Amino acid sequence: MKKLALSLSLFFLACMTATAKSVVFTLSNGTKIYYLLGGETNPVMRFVDGKITVNADSYEFADIKNFYISATDDPTAIEAVLDKRNISFKDNTVVIQSSETSTAAVYAIGGTAVKADMQKDGDILTIDLSSLPAGSYVIKAGKASFKVTKR
């Protein structure tokens, strides 16, 4: 009986994750962090000593509001586009001038959130990418997203 229950559980789990696109963590500050599923390598989660470790990233339990497996969340999707006149990119710094944008998140093309220094001054949000390696990044500012390439 236990083998049957285990087999059914594994079958339903496989069916649920077959359509999943990502594991989504919502941090207590509202930031969403995505780990894509179904690629060359799937994320590995470990729960140890009050922390959740996903691949090389580590989060304190207290810093996580919730996490879930999603079939619809796609961190590489562009929900809206900011007016290009309000965005400038110079010397590894992105400057967004918009009263509607108070925070932003930076993602590697694979969907993993990366840390970048951000400063808000009035309607101007400055994102410093100088600490990141060369490559392409998706910046999600408010409900808009755009791609930048750091050389």
Side-chain angles (χ1 to χ4, degrees):
M1 190 64 153
K2 286 184 180 181
K3 287 183 181 181
L4 177 62
L6 179 61
S7 297
L8 286 174
S9 297
L10 290 174
F11 172 75
F12 287 118
L13 181 61
C15 290
M16 285 178 19
T17 58
T19 61
K21 286 186 181 180
S22 59
V23 175
V24 182
F25 284 83
T26 305
L27 303 182
S28 52
N29 67 6
T31 302
K32 284 190 175 183
I33 300 171
Y34 301 86
Y35 294 95
L36 297 180
L37 299 173
E40 291 177 18
T41 59
N42 283 313
V44 176
M45 292 177 50
R46 291 183 179 86
F47 300 86
V48 179
D49 298 329
K51 293 181 182 181
I52 296 178
T53 302
V54 183
N55 299 342
D57 303 324
S58 184
Y59 308 97
E60 297 284 336
F61 282 151
D63 295 336
I64 299 173
K65 183 176 179 181
N66 64 26
F67 70 95
Y68 54 94
I69 296 174
S70 174
T72 57
D73 286 324
D74 185 357
T76 60
I78 296 178
E79 297 173 13
V81 177
L82 286 172
D83 187 339
K84 289 181 182 181
R85 294 173 294 177
N86 297 340
I87 303 170
S88 62
F89 186 67
K90 183 178 179 188
D91 298 328
N92 297 320
T93 302
V94 176
V95 178
I96 303 169
Q97 186 172 359
S98 172
S99 60
E100 298 175 8
T101 304
S102 59
T103 61
V106 180
Y107 299 93
I109 287 299
T112 303
V114 295
K115 294 186 186 225
D117 183 41
M118 294 184 210
Q119 303 293 323
K120 177 77 172 161
D121 185 15
D123 287 352
I124 298 175
L125 178 64
T126 305
I127 305 167
D128 183 2
L129 303 177
S130 61
S131 64
L132 299 175
S136 295
Y137 298 92
V138 174
I139 297 177
K140 184 171 182 166
K143 292 185 177 183
S145 303
F146 58 96
K147 185 177 103 172
V148 297
T149 301
K150 180 184 174 199
R151 297 184 191 268

